[in-house]
Amino acid sequence: MSFSNLGLSDKVLAAVAATGYTTPTPIQEKAIPHVLARRDVLGIAQTGTGKTAAFVLPMLTLLEKGRARARMPRTLILEPTRELAAQVKENFDKYGAGQKLNVALLIGGVSFGDQDVKLMRGVDVLIATPGRLLDHTERGGLLLTGVELLVIDEADRMLDMGFIPDIERICKLVPFTRQTLFFTATMPSEIRRITETFLHNPEKVEVSKPASTAVTVTQSQVSVGREPHEKREVLRQLLREAKDLKNAIIFCNRKREVALLHRSLQKHGFGAAALHGDMDQSARMTALDQFRKGELPLLVASDVAARGLDIPEVSHVFNFDVPHHPDDYVHRIGRTGRAGRLGTAISIVSPSDQKSLLAIEKLIGQPIARTETNHIVSAEASPVPASDGEKASGDRKPRRERSRGGRNKSPRPEGSQRPEAVAAPQQPPSIGRVRPAAASREQFSEPGDHSHLPAFLLRPIRARG
Ligand code: AMP
């Protein structure tokens, strides 16, 4: 099968050829003809399957005819996070370079005024996060009655983030006669209900089982004790000893843990970026950019911030915390072992993670192999405790609060967090629960002596202008 058999326009085919892609991915092959035939589509596909192009390419073809009117976008794409929205915009920029289309982003962290100016000019493709979109409609600056095609992307993630009521409101603001493309990686009952309400006789297109993990990913788990610092020590050891580690995403369950671990890794000389919902837009983009370009080989991230991001060729995924939702495990480890490449996923499991781990093993239908480290746990003082009531799902924020202005305010600005305590142990090192062996190298290193680290982990952080 080649792209030219799918019914795409010549302009779009030329743009695809320019990117070097020769064969459509299964989701593209199955979905594109239905989109061009103006059918509703229910796409069950994980990120990494090429699903973005599966809706972007036919949309570009359909949009060649017609013109946008002021404040009335012709098509609307809903994304759960700003990064995903920006990523979809990049796809339009890439494939739509030969077309004079107005593509606008409506995401938080950008001034309403600039966005209003764009909307006034008339928009062919509006890519938005639900909260910001509703803020614009409530202010009267945006009319959704001209939307011919609606894309709801990463719907299961929208559910996790509490966006479903917003999605339902938006669906009622766009014409009943619109075409709807709906993408989700999994089909929990709430998502099924939404598809039954808002899709009309959809073509169901599924490319892989929702709960399957790629066979190219080697999964393992390492047990640690209850003390938070044990996880950090074991992680550092795993990073040093990992075979073929080129770059890694390290997932934490809480935003606060992301910030703490990031600082801790930096302090220990690792080149790490952080990605979580309390960071402002430009800091998130910078972090992502540094990681994508390989300037920083480690990315510490929360689920919501990292979900769906297109980061090719990640060699390792570490679960610093085992996710509470088993689906998140599948998504996390799906960041590695993409497109047939080999990947490694290692979970660091404390006693409180055990319940979540069992749920994951049940979902993926296989046990996760246990491995041991030669780890000696030092009696490191505990860092700042996690903030009270912080949700495990990280970046979730009720709409009411968002509308009041501030987005995801941290209880304490990141810069003012107390640094991880790495002072000399108060008492002699205790032997960890794992196989006793020679003390870890770091215990005998001078502060600032990183000679034991692989060179690429020590690359300096380049300041950006
Ligand atoms: P997505 O699932 O949309 O996040 O896409 C995952 C990655 O696959 C992105 O880097 C795309 O650029 C890439 N991609 C999309 N379509 C194709 C294709 N037909 N052949 C090869 N790579 C593709």
Side-chain angles (χ1 to χ4, degrees):
M1 172 64 84
S2 92
F3 278 103
S4 54
N5 303 117
L6 299 177
L8 295 165
S9 69
D10 290 343
K11 273 188 192 161
V12 172
L13 286 175
V16 172
T19 64
Y21 299 148
T22 49
T23 319
T25 65
I27 186 81
Q28 293 163 1
E29 190 181 320
K30 291 182 192 175
I32 289 173
H34 295 309
V35 181
L36 291 173
R38 311 246 42 163
R39 295 287 308 270
D40 281 6
V41 171
L42 167 56
I44 303 176
Q46 292 183 21
T47 177
T49 54
K51 74 175 164 63
T52 315
F55 59 84
V56 170
L57 299 179
M59 279 177 75
L60 283 168
T61 298
L62 292 172
L63 285 165
E64 281 178 17
K65 291 195 195 95
R67 278 192 62 217
R69 282 183 282 168
R71 300 203 178 281
M72 292 179 73
R74 296 168 68 195
T75 63
L76 171 63
I77 300 171
L78 297 174
E79 294 289 337
T81 65
R82 304 166 184 190
E83 285 79 10
L84 279 169
Q87 206 165 281
V88 172
K89 167 109 175 18
E90 281 168 22
N91 269 258
F92 274 98
D93 294 343
K94 182 165 74 173
Y95 300 119
Q99 280 171 254
K100 287 197 185 76
L101 290 177
N102 283 339
V103 181
L105 264 183
L106 284 194
I107 54 177
V110 179
S111 87
F112 277 93
D114 292 350
Q115 293 178 342
D116 272 337
V117 170
K118 280 215 166 133
L119 291 174
M120 259 319 277
R121 275 195 224 128
V123 169
D124 297 286
V125 183
L126 184 61
I127 308 163
T129 48
R132 182 50 78 101
L133 182 85
L134 284 170
D135 288 343
H136 274 277
T137 58
E138 279 160 15
R139 289 157 56 110
L142 176 63
L143 267 175
L144 298 180
T145 46
V147 171
E148 299 154 22
L149 186 149
L150 170 69
V151 180
I152 301 170
D153 195 17
E154 300 271 339
D156 50 351
R157 176 52 43 170
M158 303 263 202
L159 175 69
D160 290 349
M161 294 174 73
F163 282 148
I164 293 301
D166 287 357
I167 299 295
E168 293 188 279
R169 283 185 59 199
I170 294 166
C171 282
K172 286 175 188 157
L173 295 173
V174 295
F176 180 75
T177 50
R178 68 174 187 266
Q179 180 182 12
T180 309
L181 315 178
F182 190 101
F183 291 89
T184 183
T186 56
M187 278 295 271
S189 56
E190 183 70 357
I191 293 293
R192 193 175 304 279
R193 183 185 69 76
I194 297 281
T195 61
E196 283 160 8
T197 314
F198 294 112
L199 293 177
H200 303 296
N201 192 20
E203 286 290 345
K204 190 172 168 190
V205 171
E206 188 165 1
V207 293
S208 68
K209 277 194 172 165
S212 62
T213 50
V215 287
T216 48
V217 181
T218 307
Q219 302 171 57
S220 64
Q221 56 165 313
V222 176
S223 298
V224 295
R226 281 183 198 284
E227 295 300 321
H229 69 86
E230 288 185 49
K231 283 197 170 186
R232 291 193 291 275
E233 289 185 10
V234 166
L235 174 68
R236 293 197 292 270
Q237 187 178 349
L238 290 168
L239 287 170
R240 288 181 191 120
E241 293 176 355
K243 283 205 188 79
D244 304 323
L245 191 149
K246 292 192 187 68
N247 56 357
I249 306 183
I250 304 161
F251 284 101
C252 300
N253 286 352
R254 295 161 184 252
K255 290 180 274 191
R256 189 154 178 69
E257 195 65 59
V258 171
L260 265 173
L261 180 62
H262 175 226
R263 292 167 73 84
S264 165
L265 285 168
Q266 284 185 323
K267 198 163 180 165
H268 281 83
F270 291 90
L275 199 66
H276 65 77
D278 277 351
M279 294 162 61
D280 70 30
Q281 181 66 6
S282 77
R284 291 207 259 181
M285 288 300 189
T286 303
L288 204 54
D289 216 36
Q290 287 174 317
F291 183 67
R292 275 200 186 123
K293 289 183 180 152
E295 293 168 5
L296 294 175
L298 305 179
L299 180 70
V300 189
S302 65
D303 289 290
V304 170
R307 182 73 167 260
L309 292 181
D310 180 24
I311 304 164
E313 295 197 53
V314 176
S315 72
H316 282 62
V317 165
F318 292 92
N319 289 314
F320 185 76
D321 301 306
V322 178
H324 297 301
H325 301 292
D327 284 345
D328 282 336
Y329 178 82
V330 178
H331 282 286
R332 286 182 184 186
I333 78 164
R335 314 302 319 177
T336 185
R338 284 173 148 201
R341 293 189 198 100
L342 297 180
T344 304
I346 305 176
S347 301
I348 303 175
V349 183
S350 70
S352 60
D353 289 320
Q354 281 298 340
K355 209 172 134 200
S356 304
L357 191 83
L358 287 175
I360 289 165
E361 290 181 329
K362 195 169 159 211
L363 179 80
I364 63 174
Q366 65 183 81
I368 299 172
R370 280 169 182 270
T371 53
E372 297 205 342
T373 59
N374 298 335
H375 177 62
I376 290 192
V377 175
S378 70
E380 184 185 23
S382 273
V384 192
S387 63
D388 291 341
E390 184 165 4
K391 290 243 168 51
S393 56
D395 305 0
R396 183 168 170 163
K397 184 110 180 155
R399 194 178 131 59
R400 226 177 309 120
E401 252 175 274
R402 271 187 279 110
S403 308
R404 264 187 250 125
R407 206 194 123 86
N408 293 339
K409 295 253 164 36
S410 168
R412 185 204 303 260
E414 201 175 311
S416 69
Q417 279 169 355
R418 217 184 316 152
E420 180 195 11
V422 287
Q426 308 287 305
Q427 36 186 312
S430 62
I431 307 288
R433 57 175 43 226
V434 286
R435 182 154 51 94
S440 66
R441 280 171 290 179
E442 70 183 279
Q443 285 179 303
F444 302 112
S445 307
E446 291 295 327
D449 169 17
H450 303 123
S451 54
H452 53 288
L453 293 178
F456 77 94
L457 288 174
L458 293 170
R459 264 180 229 150
I461 302 166
R462 254 188 257 151
R464 303 193 141 229

